[in-house]
Amino acid sequence: MSTVPTTLDDTVSTGEPTPSGPLTGFTVAVTAARRAEEIGALLRRKGARVVSAPALRIVPISDDRRLASVSDELARRPADIVVATTGIGFRGWIEACETWGVADRLLTGMRGSRLLARGPKARGALRAAGLTEEWSPDSESSAEVLDHLLAQGVRGLRVAVQLHGEPLPDFTAALRLAGAEVIEVPVYRWVEPEDTAALDRLIETVVSGGVEAVTFTSAPAAAGLLARAHATGRRADLVHALRGDVLAMCVGSVTARPLVAHDIPTVRPERARVGAQIRRLVEELPARYPTLEVAGHHLQPRGHAVLVDGVARTLSPTLMRVMRALAHRPGQVLDRARLLTCLGEDADAHAVEAAIARLRAALGDPRIIRTVVKRGYRLALDAPDRDL
């Protein structure tokens, strides 16, 4: 994992043992615009450090004349089919209609329409409004909704499509080609954050190896992160990091699509829920970091801490670089020149001995790191001694 060069001031590390959770020792980035605090709290309860910056912000357009006009038209002349694509969007639509005094008429008209929900959140919003959906896909895929509509036939029908932050040109064009009259309902839109400084810092942290995972809860947020990285000249570096050591943890397959389009591997739970996403992260992330048997201890180097017999010992960035170098090829002897590169540009030859002494103290057992006379240092693996 790449790192930003750090000076010897970073080698001060208490190594005090701390209680560990399943994500202790890892730093996780949160890109959500909504529910960021909730997601951050869930991650912290699992032991993770959290860095957070919204990749986008939601701009409601409840005062938009177009939405008001469309809503009034649908209240007067209900659609044959209504497609709800997001829970927040459908709720926002009804709330806006309440301010205009057309909500009751709109909902009454919808009770005579065929209602489709793109996923469970949209389905929940329909039911909360006293409506019952005719059909909803398990995949939360707009493409599957479109296939269902085309298979049922839409020629001559009026189809209202609640948009979810951006136009759906392929979706609506296919319906029109199939003979439907399509009414687009623009409830909200996604735009870049007003202050991009926090997002830029998050991108830089990901690129420099400061996080082990990035969580995504919406496709627009994933696309927004890539777009901002492109605007700042960092997209290639960001994609490289996400293709490498940094785990891209998505809430579902729809969310993953902008990343997959850049050949970024993604992991997601079977059910597209934030709780399931965190549980999958708890399963996936620690499994990527092997546990070593060293000097009678179970040793697992993580992002900013080492678990020693299940107890987390937090290290400074410099000592973690030394630890990762020793653990990269367990048992291999690393000479002082190699270890010196972990300590920053201002380090001298004596700094290696000082860093090893601090690292031994931080790990709690000096036997974990063995000195190989005139050659360097290696982890004391519980195996027949072979100075590789």
Side-chain angles (χ1 to χ4, degrees):
M1 183 179 293
S2 62
T3 55
V4 174
T6 316
T7 67
L8 278 177
D9 291 340
D10 289 324
T11 60
V12 178
S13 179
T14 63
E16 289 295 324
T18 57
S20 60
L23 295 180
T24 296
F26 296 120
T27 302
V28 181
V30 175
T31 62
R34 298 170 45 248
R35 304 180 70 182
E37 291 186 6
E38 174 192 349
I39 295 168
L42 288 171
L43 291 167
R44 291 185 186 96
R45 283 201 289 271
K46 300 296 184 182
R49 286 182 182 175
V50 176
V51 293
S52 179
L56 291 172
R57 62 189 173 98
I58 300 172
V59 178
I61 50 177
S62 58
D63 59 345
D64 187 83
R65 292 182 180 179
R66 182 182 171 197
L67 178 61
S69 175
V70 167
S71 301
D72 182 65
E73 177 190 349
L74 290 171
R76 290 185 292 102
R77 186 181 169 212
D80 299 295
I81 300 171
V82 177
V83 180
T85 60
T86 64
I88 184 176
F90 189 83
R91 288 193 299 272
W93 182 16
I94 301 306
E95 288 169 2
C97 288
E98 288 174 349
T99 67
W100 300 322
V102 298
D104 288 342
R105 289 189 294 120
L106 180 67
L107 291 172
T108 297
M110 284 188 187
R111 290 187 180 95
S113 304
R114 294 165 53 196
L115 305 178
L116 277 67
R118 191 184 62 142
K121 293 179 182 177
R123 184 168 62 239
L126 285 173
R127 294 179 181 180
L131 304 171
T132 303
E133 78 286 353
E134 175 185 281
W135 181 82
S136 179
D138 294 331
S139 65
E140 302 186 50
S141 166
S142 296
E144 191 170 348
V145 174
L146 177 60
D147 289 344
H148 178 84
L149 286 170
L150 296 178
Q152 295 288 314
V154 294
R155 181 168 298 279
L157 301 181
R158 301 176 73 246
V159 182
V161 180
Q162 173 245 311
L163 304 180
H164 53 89
E166 56 187 13
L168 295 170
D170 295 341
F171 188 97
T172 55
L175 291 175
R176 289 188 175 105
L177 285 173
E181 177 189 349
V182 180
I183 303 100
E184 298 181 4
V185 184
V187 180
Y188 62 88
R189 52 196 168 91
W190 297 94
V191 297
E192 189 176 78
E194 289 181 313
D195 182 2
T196 58
L199 183 59
D200 292 343
R201 287 193 298 271
L202 185 145
I203 291 169
E204 190 61 35
T205 301
V206 174
V207 166
S208 64
V211 307
E212 287 68 57
V214 184
T215 62
F216 299 94
T217 55
S218 72
L225 184 72
L226 291 165
R228 182 60 191 171
H230 176 70
T232 57
R234 298 296 262 163
R235 186 171 68 182
D237 295 328
L238 178 66
V239 169
H240 178 75
L242 292 171
R243 288 176 181 170
D245 293 324
V246 181
L247 170 64
M249 185 72 228
C250 299
V251 76
S253 58
V254 174
T255 296
R257 283 178 185 167
L259 303 172
V260 173
H262 286 79
D263 296 322
I264 295 170
T266 63
V267 176
R268 51 190 181 270
E270 290 185 7
R271 298 186 68 220
R273 298 286 190 281
V274 166
Q277 179 186 28
I278 302 301
R279 288 192 294 273
R280 182 65 193 276
L281 182 64
V282 166
E283 296 170 358
E284 180 75 19
L285 191 54
R288 296 182 168 215
Y289 292 76
T291 297
L292 308 173
E293 306 298 322
V294 182
H297 300 284
H298 301 288
L299 207 71
Q300 188 186 39
R302 293 187 168 186
H304 60 261
V306 178
L307 264 59
V308 182
D309 299 326
V311 177
R313 292 181 177 267
T314 301
L315 305 180
S316 69
T318 297
L319 291 190
M320 275 307 309
R321 287 200 294 275
V322 174
M323 184 71 239
R324 280 195 288 268
L326 290 167
H328 180 63
R329 293 183 179 176
Q332 178 177 351
V333 178
L334 295 187
D335 61 26
R336 288 170 175 79
R338 170 66 181 86
L339 291 172
L340 194 61
T341 64
C342 300
L343 302 181
E345 297 177 356
D346 298 332
D348 56 29
H350 173 71
V352 174
E353 286 76 12
I356 291 293
R358 290 188 179 99
L359 182 54
R360 282 170 169 159
L363 295 175
D365 185 347
R367 298 175 303 162
I368 289 174
I369 301 174
R370 178 169 297 174
T371 300
V372 181
V373 178
K374 296 183 179 180
R375 294 188 59 190
Y377 303 92
R378 68 177 178 85
L379 294 182
L381 294 184
D382 290 344
D385 286 344
R386 291 183 299 170
D387 294 339
L388 304 178

